[in-house]
Amino acid sequence: MTPTVAPVLEAKNLVKTYGRVVAVDGASLQLYPGEVLAVVGDNGAGKSTLIKCLSGAETPDEGTIELDGEEISFRRPQDSRDAGIETVYQNLAISPALDIASNLFLGREIRKKGPLGSIFRMLDGSGMKKIAKEQIALLGIGTIQNIGQAAETLSGGQRQAVSVARAAAFGQKLIILDEPTAALGVRESKQVLKLVENLRDRGLPVILISHNMPQVFEVADRIHIQRLGKRIAVVTPKSHTMNEVVAVMTGALEIDEEDQSLGPVR
Amino acid sequence: MTNTEVVHDAAAEFMNRSTKTQKVQAVLHKFPWLSSAVVLIISVITFSFFNENFMTPNNLSLILQQVAIIGAVAAGQTIIIMTAGIDLSCGAIAIFASMVMAKTSFVNGWPAWASFTLGIIVGTGAGAFNGYLVTKVRLPPFIVTLGTLNIFLALTLFYATGRTIMDQELDPFYLKLGYLINIGQFKLTTGVLVMLLMYALLAFALRYTGWGRHVYAVGDDIEAARLAGIQVNRVLLSVYMTAGFIFSITAWIVIGRVAAASPNTGSTLNMDSITAVVIGGTSLFGGRGAVFGSLLGAVIVGVFRNGLSLAGVDLYYQTFAVGVLIIVAVSVDQWIRRAHK
């Protein structure tokens, strides 16, 4: 339960308030190498805000974030991206009219070598296409045939796969997936979950925010339960059942921090 | 594994069934300027039947000379519309810049290069002011440019004190874009060539640089672009500034074409340029279109007006025809967009 290796990412006592509303109230989080950590919680438990602090979309009021043991602070999403943290957003942050390769490299295009790139700022279109193709193949997204097709011609699952492929291509340290299957059908959700396992197999740790308990239990190594702005427990799919996790999440049961045993709320 | 693949393929086939109309939609979607190219070819052929003077090098050259100003403004208008914005102040910026150029040169006696540079700076600065209001003050582009349209117009009249500066008063440098060049049997003004050069540069930047992709991405889905790490405000500001620069180059073309700098011209340039952009297949909702299409759009309007007047059709009907063209062009755009929802 307590691995001896150092965590890749560690957040300590994060606090984030919006005016008088306390969204995150002293939450901590540890992510260890090569694991899938699920973050679950009821609406308003502060999981989105917690994740936004980690991905640089919000800056916490208090608390520290350490990446590989070094303290860091993010002011913009670009900062966390530069640090090697990639985030896949629920609302499919891809540009519908651009093609897959352009989307994969959006915001960090590769220029041609030599004067064509440095003076005329020409992009290396074929090079980017090649890398995009490799990434898509690496993740086993076989249903995407043409790397040059516009993103809007793809199904929801394929679009999400493009987002995941983008994260996988550039994520050096870890990948955060915020409700990646919320907008997807059953078959497409399966594809995305397969991608998550694929990432873990490649050694990239993943933080997965989800509402969907069966999915969480299918892929997660550990489950971080968020309630009322705090982390109240970390369990594993083996140690606890789905019903127990839901009970803890909603406050029907309380978990003992020492021996992980469940009991009624005192 | 093989079993799931079979199911998969069947599902993919189910999703990918497309009729002939859908295939047409897909092609138009990929090449948004294609429909305007077809309209142009058909209208040129049609008008040549009505009047034998239409299809002459002289007349075709005349059309190109006539669309030089609108075409140049439309180039700047296109990149703004691609970001889901609009610029109503484009004509006012061009005229403002032209008055700055002419007056500093004639009244203050500045050398041509200095007055020209100041004109470019004023025009680009006016664009930057629009961009600032759009990105930092977060006002809708329509409102911003409606406001600055009046502001720049007032500044121009105030600065020029209502006076037109005539050709004999101008530095010869400013009349250069009115010079005629013979290319085969065609007589083009240098202004036309400068306009074409701007289109070529803009098309290159949009197609082959990261900036171009970012312009499309910002217009397509601004939130997605921001999450992808694009500095959205910087892109928007650069677009408004580039447009301001293009409008001030247009000022030069205007002086060359009219052979004078007058504060009272260009009042319909904003609507005319939007007309050209829309007919050229660029979507008013942003993220879709090609700058080349706007050139076609401007030429189509020129061909319609010229062809109809050669055919002896009243001016009212010409304007009516342009109105119909706009409605048809936007309907086609909507139809193409629906294809992929």
Side-chain angles (χ1 to χ4, degrees), chain A residues 57 76-78 81 89 91-99 101-103 105-109 111 116 120-125 128 143 145-146 148 150 152-153 155 159 166 187-188 191 194, chain B residues 1 4 7-9 11-12 15-16 29-30 204-214 216-231 234 286-288 337 339-341:
Chain A
R76 305 173 293 145
Q78 193 66 40
R81 203 187 304 259
Y89 296 93
N91 47 1
L92 304 165
I94 60 172
S95 232
L98 294 180
D99 63 51
S102 301
N103 262 299
F105 283 92
L106 196 57
R108 47 195 152 200
E109 289 84 0
R111 291 210 195 113
L116 278 181
F120 296 103
R121 317 220 143 217
M122 268 182 90
L123 296 177
D124 185 5
M128 289 195 285
T143 51
Q145 292 129 1
N146 181 2
E152 64 201 335
T153 61
S155 69
R159 287 190 210 192
R166 173 165 71 186
R187 191 167 68 95
E188 301 179 317
Q191 287 176 358
K194 230 170 128 186
Chain B
M1 195 63 211
T4 55
V7 172
H8 212 172
D9 282 347
M15 314 270 254
N16 278 335
H29 190 261
K30 208 164 179 196
F204 173 84
L206 285 170
R207 176 87 178 75
Y208 293 108
T209 70
W211 178 79
R213 296 241 171 121
H214 296 172
Y216 278 103
V218 166
D220 205 6
D221 186 338
I222 192 163
E223 203 43 47
R226 184 175 292 138
L227 290 174
I230 293 173
Q231 286 175 303
R234 203 190 270 184
R288 246 160 270 252
R337 286 180 154 256
H340 287 286
K341 286 292 164 203

Side-chain angles (χ1 to χ4, degrees), chain A residues 4-227:
Chain A
T4 48
V5 283
V8 178
L9 182 80
E10 178 157 31
K12 287 177 192 161
N13 302 316
L14 295 182
V15 176
K16 177 72 193 176
T17 57
Y18 298 96
R20 290 166 60 194
V21 180
V22 184
V24 174
D25 186 17
S28 300
L29 179 147
Q30 280 101 25
L31 179 71
Y32 292 96
E35 73 169 348
V36 175
L37 176 73
V39 175
V40 300
D42 210 354
N43 288 341
K47 48 183 198 309
S48 284
T49 312
L50 174 66
I51 292 316
K52 278 182 183 160
C53 290
L54 300 180
S55 64
E58 298 279 0
T59 314
D61 302 329
E62 286 172 38
T64 58
I65 302 169
E66 286 176 15
L67 188 64
D68 281 338
E70 273 178 50
E71 196 174 325
I72 41 172
S73 72
F74 301 137
R75 305 189 142 267
R76 305 173 293 145
Q78 193 66 40
D79 295 339
S80 78
R81 203 187 304 259
D82 291 342
I85 300 175
E86 282 290 323
T87 310
V88 175
Y89 296 93
Q90 175 180 2
N91 47 1
L92 304 165
I94 60 172
S95 232
L98 294 180
D99 63 51
I100 296 169
S102 301
N103 262 299
L104 217 73
F105 283 92
L106 196 57
R108 47 195 152 200
E109 289 84 0
I110 302 175
R111 291 210 195 113
K112 271 194 174 70
K113 287 193 183 75
L116 278 181
S118 55
I119 298 170
F120 296 103
R121 317 220 143 217
M122 268 182 90
L123 296 177
D124 185 5
S126 54
M128 289 195 285
K129 265 188 189 155
K130 196 168 154 258
I131 300 174
K133 218 175 228 169
E134 285 166 11
Q135 278 300 327
I136 298 278
L138 210 59
L139 287 170
I141 313 166
T143 51
I144 294 175
Q145 292 129 1
N146 181 2
I147 213 82
Q149 76 190 99
E152 64 201 335
T153 61
L154 300 174
S155 69
Q158 288 173 324
R159 287 190 210 192
Q160 195 61 279
V162 171
S163 293
V164 175
R166 173 165 71 186
F170 296 100
Q172 301 292 320
K173 298 283 164 65
L174 63 113
I175 288 171
I176 300 172
L177 296 149
D178 186 4
E179 301 269 7
T181 58
L184 304 183
V186 174
R187 191 167 68 95
E188 301 179 317
S189 296
K190 275 240 157 65
Q191 287 176 358
V192 171
L193 290 182
K194 230 170 128 186
L195 288 177
V196 171
E197 286 173 347
N198 219 319
L199 291 177
R200 174 179 51 194
D201 295 344
R202 288 170 56 188
L204 267 177
V206 177
I207 297 177
L208 172 74
I209 296 95
S210 183
H211 260 109
N212 190 319
M213 282 302 151
Q215 289 179 5
V216 165
F217 272 73
E218 193 181 325
V219 294
D221 297 307
R222 295 190 306 140
I223 302 167
H224 165 130
I225 307 173
Q226 185 83 8
R227 178 168 162 72

Side-chain angles (χ1 to χ4, degrees), chain B residues 17-39:
Chain B
R17 255 192 317 209
S18 60
T19 61
K20 266 193 184 136
T21 22
Q22 279 167 338
K23 275 176 190 154
V24 173
Q25 270 176 322
V27 172
L28 286 179
H29 190 261
K30 208 164 179 196
F31 305 103
W33 47 268
L34 203 64
S35 45
S36 37
V38 171
V39 169

